[in-house]
Amino acid sequence: MHIQDTHWSSASALAAGGATASAAAGNGRGDGPRTAPLRVDAQRNLEHVLRAAREVFGELGYGAPMEDVARRARVGVGTVYRRFPSKDVLVRRIAEEETSRLTDQARAALGQEDEPWSALSRFLRTSVASGAGRLLPPQVLRVGVPEEVGGSGAGAEEARVPQQRTQPAAGELRLVPEEREPVAGAEDDAGAAALLEVVGRLVDRARAAGELRPDVSVSDVLLVIATAAPSLPDAAQQAAASSRLLDILLEGLRSRP
């Protein structure tokens, strides 16, 4: 009786183990193919959404609706909202990426160009060619020189770092409608500060070399990037217009004997 019980228990254990192994193998065969493609698809959708958002916001400004981004990405608007629960989150993501890209471009120009004017002009040309002017983060773009500041002396040095306005002046260039402005967080401020610091070094070098007008500030340089990025329906015309306009603006930045 004891031997039979033992034999039955062993057989039961083997059967249970086999069933468990079969179930695990079945789950492996079933879950693997289902899970991996979902992860790949999710990553691909995210890349499509970010690319589409950069294109749409670059063409229409940060006021463009999320539906336009979804259509350009060829996904449902629900897919966009699953990745970015609000439009402000998506705007901040694109603005952060653009700030980082501009900062890298400024550092590259600073480190690879010995001549101060060549470094500044290279940064401006690279930034304009990449379409950065249509995606400049609002907290960086909305800058102004205090009215009491003159063109030289200590006041001019204080104006080198752009000051944000709480109420935008009439005609001021804006990328985000006032009623839907994203609130900049600590990370946004840190990224903007890094960009302003490295662009400030480019400006300081060119000014110290006597190649940049003494009244030109960091805010002026950033506004040049924004101004030299007209939005035209034809890509070739837009590139030509940007290049031509930047040439004119660069001449305006240079100091004259």
Side-chain angles (χ1 to χ4, degrees):
M1 182 67 176
H2 177 69
I3 294 175
Q4 291 177 343
D5 290 343
T6 302
H7 176 73
W8 181 88
S9 299
S10 299
S12 298
L14 287 171
T20 303
S22 298
N27 288 338
R29 288 192 301 268
D31 293 347
R34 285 198 304 268
T35 304
L38 283 177
R39 287 197 296 267
V40 172
D41 289 347
Q43 179 61 31
R44 186 183 300 115
N45 285 341
L46 175 60
E47 293 171 358
H48 288 169
V49 168
L50 290 174
R51 185 183 304 113
R54 192 174 193 277
E55 293 175 357
V56 169
F57 292 149
E59 294 169 7
L60 305 176
Y62 283 126
M66 293 282 266
E67 288 76 10
D68 285 2
V69 175
R71 278 193 293 270
R72 183 70 62 91
R74 297 185 177 182
V75 298
V77 70
T79 299
V80 179
Y81 277 109
R82 276 195 295 274
R83 302 298 306 194
F84 303 96
S86 73
K87 180 182 171 183
D88 289 352
V89 174
L90 178 57
V91 167
R92 282 197 297 269
R93 172 68 177 268
I94 298 299
E96 286 170 7
E97 290 185 353
E98 197 60 31
T99 301
S100 177
R101 183 180 293 106
L102 283 171
T103 303
D104 290 342
Q105 291 172 353
R107 285 174 177 156
L110 195 62
Q112 297 174 15
E113 295 288 345
D114 294 331
E115 295 295 327
W117 178 255
S118 296
L120 180 59
S121 61
R122 169 179 167 169
F123 167 65
L124 287 171
R125 292 189 185 281
T126 304
S127 301
V128 169
S130 69
R134 294 180 293 276
L135 290 167
L136 279 170
Q139 70 270 23
V140 173
L141 183 62
R142 291 204 321 275
V143 296
V145 178
E147 294 180 0
E148 68 274 15
V149 174
S152 61
E157 181 60 25
E158 291 175 0
R160 187 182 66 79
V161 178
Q163 302 295 318
Q164 296 186 32
R165 291 195 183 109
T166 54
Q167 296 295 328
E172 182 184 356
L173 183 60
R174 295 177 56 80
L175 294 182
V176 179
E178 189 169 0
E179 67 272 9
R180 286 187 60 81
E181 226 175 275
V183 178
E187 293 183 1
D188 300 323
D189 291 339
L195 173 61
L196 294 175
E197 189 275 332
V198 68
V199 175
R201 289 163 61 191
L202 286 169
V203 169
D204 287 342
R205 284 183 58 194
R207 184 190 294 135
E211 296 179 306
L212 182 69
R213 284 172 43 176
D215 61 333
V216 172
S217 67
V218 172
S219 64
D220 296 323
V221 171
L222 295 175
L223 288 174
V224 164
I225 297 175
T227 304
S231 182
L232 300 176
D234 182 78
Q237 290 181 354
Q238 180 170 295
S242 292
S243 179
R244 171 67 175 159
L245 186 53
L246 181 56
D247 287 340
I248 295 172
L249 292 171
L250 283 172
E251 283 300 310
L253 293 177
R254 296 201 73 160
S255 62
R256 293 287 178 259

